[in-house]
Amino acid sequence: MLRRTFLLAIPLHFYAKLGLTQSTTEWQIDIDDSPDFARDVNEALRGARLPAYAVSSSIDIKRTSSTVLNPAQKKDLIDNWQRRIARFFLDENFRIITSEELEDKGGVSFDQIRREAIRIQPFGHRGMVETSAGRQIFLLMNERPAACRDRGIIMITVFAFYPRDGVQSDYGNITTLMIGIGGCGRETSRAGRELRELRQDLRGAYQRIVERA
């Protein structure tokens, strides 16, 4: 089941933003917790007959000050913010799955996950996603979440997307996918509520990242 979970056809479409804006004198982030992205993931999970439930959250990053970073600096900043979001989950009793563990237990590499995510894009989006997809993917797991009564797991995937070329104010996007599996995989269960609460707590992490940038 681990391999099937990692290689789900997760569509990384660009949806209308239905969320919250947070800003400082230097940065603005548009938070998108709309159900569209997670809805497609949940349909894929049901199609694969996996007992799982997903929620998602993403941020678009813009700089509000007059200082402009070059493309390499922008990528470094996105990579840093992606690591800090992953660190938030470490503080929430998750652990990072290493590339060695992924290949040993899941039979798949991070590079394969990245290629698969690009492959399943609508044809017109593949090139754009391939050039913007970040250098790394963080995969985290909580194997004993209290809300699941030790009968399931929660997995987190943190993707980064680099900014569009030639758009000075654009600093990219970070998307986090949270999936409850097994006993954690029911939307109406206590575990489903915990996933949504975790997404809400992630908003606080976004604010701290922006304030310390």
Side-chain angles (χ1 to χ4, degrees):
M1 188 174 88
L2 192 61
R3 180 182 177 87
R4 292 171 65 196
T5 301
F6 287 138
L7 291 183
L8 279 171
I10 299 173
L12 305 177
H13 299 318
F14 295 87
Y15 293 108
K17 301 304 177 187
L18 301 172
L20 174 74
T21 296
Q22 295 181 354
S23 61
T24 66
T25 56
E26 294 285 330
W27 300 99
Q28 174 182 311
I29 58 171
D30 295 328
I31 303 172
D32 180 16
D33 290 347
S34 68
D36 297 331
F37 177 69
R39 183 183 298 120
D40 280 355
V41 174
N42 281 313
E43 288 178 0
L45 290 165
R46 286 192 293 271
R49 298 190 176 182
L50 290 172
Y53 168 65
V55 300
S56 65
S57 180
S58 71
I59 54 172
D60 284 339
I61 303 166
K62 297 178 181 178
R63 192 171 180 89
T64 55
S65 75
S66 58
T67 303
V68 176
L69 303 185
N70 64 44
Q73 291 172 319
K74 287 183 176 183
K75 289 182 179 180
D76 288 343
L77 179 130
I78 282 286
D79 289 343
N80 179 44
W81 283 29
Q82 183 191 20
R83 285 192 295 270
R84 292 169 71 178
I85 289 173
R87 193 173 302 130
F88 160 78
F89 290 105
L90 290 178
D91 294 338
E92 296 291 326
N93 298 316
F94 286 80
R95 67 178 182 85
I96 288 180
I97 297 177
T98 65
S99 56
E100 294 78 13
E101 182 181 4
L102 183 62
E103 293 187 29
D104 180 50
K105 295 183 178 179
V108 63
S109 68
F110 282 110
D111 188 56
Q112 285 175 294
I113 294 175
R114 187 179 185 276
R115 290 201 306 269
E116 178 69 7
I118 293 168
R119 185 191 67 78
I120 54 83
Q121 299 306 304
F123 182 77
H125 285 172
R126 288 178 193 168
M128 179 168 55
V129 173
E130 184 171 14
T131 57
S132 65
R135 290 175 279 210
Q136 54 192 344
I137 297 172
F138 284 99
L139 192 62
L140 302 98
M141 180 186 297
N142 184 339
E143 295 157 296
R144 299 179 64 87
C148 307
R149 300 179 181 176
D150 298 332
R151 292 198 297 264
I153 62 174
I154 296 176
M155 298 189 64
I156 308 292
T157 310
V158 186
F159 300 94
F161 298 93
Y162 294 138
R164 294 162 292 173
D165 291 337
V167 183
Q168 290 187 349
S169 63
D170 182 14
Y171 278 73
N173 170 283
I174 300 172
T175 295
T176 301
L177 182 65
M178 296 160 262
I179 304 179
I181 302 171
C184 301
R186 293 185 297 275
E187 179 179 0
T188 57
S189 67
R190 177 184 169 193
R193 291 193 299 272
E194 182 167 298
L195 276 177
R196 293 187 291 273
E197 290 171 2
L198 188 63
R199 180 179 59 189
Q200 186 66 28
D201 292 342
L202 184 56
R203 287 190 171 195
Y206 294 153
Q207 183 63 37
R208 291 190 293 275
I209 291 171
V210 170
E211 290 172 350
R212 297 171 186 171

